[in-house]
Amino acid sequence: LASFCLGKLHYETNHPEDALSYLRRASTDTALESRYAVEANYLLGNLCRDQRGDLAQAQEYFQIALKKGATPKMLAELYRQLGTISRQQGDDDQAVERLEQALKYYKEEPSEDVLEVLVALGELKYRHHWFKAAVEYGERAQQIPTQAKTMQQRLLKIFAEGYYGIREYAQAEGYEQKYVDGCQDDQEKAASLLRLGTIAEHLNLTEKAANAYRKGLKFATQN
């Protein structure tokens, strides 16, 4: 227990190497109480990911924590972290599975963590052309208020691409216009204007489509 307490203290005071040393010692202590063992491995996972960029080792510690008798709240957080790692590693199917597990344990309480999970699931769904599911996750995420501009932009993109995918072009147009208005990156703005022009063509708004394409050309830096 002493190793755990010292490790957590070093973690909270931003001394990662000392934290790693003590927490590793704590994680191998078979007599350590379950709740401390869960937290020790969770903190080790965070350290490996954030300080060392070692996703494989972080994943291993998070998986160990899952088996130590975590509370539902901690299970939700562990599955969220594991889902994020799977996504970073390019395993979208596993990411979806883990993030949906996180939602189950969060019970969709309104929080920034739940919002992040819902938005991530929406992005994963539209990436793989499950557009209706993407919109559904977006609608659930929309119920959680946020002032974060980045999160709002991610949501707008889910709706724009999701509605486009299910051919509800009038809906898609409104969201795409809001998205392009909030874009700060020139290349992303160009891509959004390209999509907006395509949507306008589907709506037989030829002049609007041409205007969107012309504006897009001003921001595009690639073919």
Side-chain angles (χ1 to χ4, degrees):
L1 181 58
S3 293
F4 168 76
C5 292
L6 284 166
K8 186 175 180 181
L9 178 63
H10 284 301
Y11 180 91
E12 291 173 344
T13 54
N14 199 28
H15 294 94
E17 293 305 318
D18 290 328
L20 275 167
S21 177
Y22 282 110
L23 289 169
R24 279 174 174 159
R25 197 178 309 168
S27 72
T28 59
D29 182 358
T30 56
L32 188 65
E33 193 176 328
S34 173
R35 61 189 172 120
Y36 299 125
V38 169
E39 190 171 0
N41 283 286
Y42 170 70
L43 295 178
L44 281 166
N46 285 342
L47 285 165
C48 288
R49 181 197 59 210
D50 299 337
Q51 299 297 325
R52 299 194 167 182
D54 190 340
L55 295 182
Q57 186 68 72
Q59 180 170 239
E60 187 174 325
Y61 280 122
F62 289 141
Q63 288 174 323
I64 291 170
L66 282 177
K67 301 172 184 176
K68 295 287 185 179
T71 62
K73 184 177 180 180
M74 182 58 83
L75 284 169
E77 176 62 14
L78 287 166
Y79 276 116
R80 183 175 74 87
Q81 299 287 6
L82 285 166
T84 301
I85 288 174
S86 295
R87 190 177 182 186
Q88 290 174 309
Q89 292 175 329
D91 191 339
D92 288 355
D93 289 340
Q94 188 177 69
V96 167
E97 182 181 334
R98 286 171 164 178
L99 291 171
E100 286 180 339
Q101 279 287 94
L103 272 188
K104 183 178 80 172
Y105 287 109
Y106 277 126
K107 297 181 180 177
E108 294 203 40
E109 297 173 1
S111 70
E112 288 292 325
D113 289 339
V114 173
L115 178 60
E116 171 60 40
V117 171
L118 288 166
V119 170
L121 282 166
E123 290 169 337
L124 286 163
K125 290 294 183 180
Y126 82 63
R127 178 174 168 177
H128 291 276
H129 308 296
W130 291 90
F131 300 116
K132 186 177 180 182
V135 169
E136 288 171 354
Y137 277 119
E139 287 171 344
R140 288 158 70 180
Q142 205 173 34
Q143 304 307 308
I144 303 173
T146 180
Q147 298 301 314
K149 183 70 175 177
T150 302
M151 189 64 73
Q152 292 171 356
Q153 283 293 99
R154 289 170 68 188
L155 260 176
L156 288 171
K157 190 172 183 180
I158 288 171
F159 285 126
E161 297 202 0
Y163 280 119
Y164 183 91
I166 57 178
R167 301 182 181 182
E168 292 189 17
Y169 301 120
Q171 287 274 66
E173 182 191 24
Y175 285 111
E176 194 70 71
Q177 186 62 65
K178 289 179 184 177
Y179 179 76
V180 73
D181 289 344
C183 279
Q184 300 300 314
D185 178 79
D186 283 355
Q187 196 60 25
E188 186 60 30
K189 188 181 282 284
S192 181
L193 285 162
L194 176 60
R195 292 193 299 268
L196 191 60
T198 307
I199 291 168
E201 285 198 73
H202 280 293
L203 294 170
N204 295 317
L205 301 172
T206 309
E207 186 176 348
K208 189 167 187 176
N211 286 335
Y213 295 144
R214 275 194 290 268
K215 287 180 183 176
L217 284 170
K218 295 177 183 178
F219 294 101
T221 57
Q222 301 174 10
N223 290 342

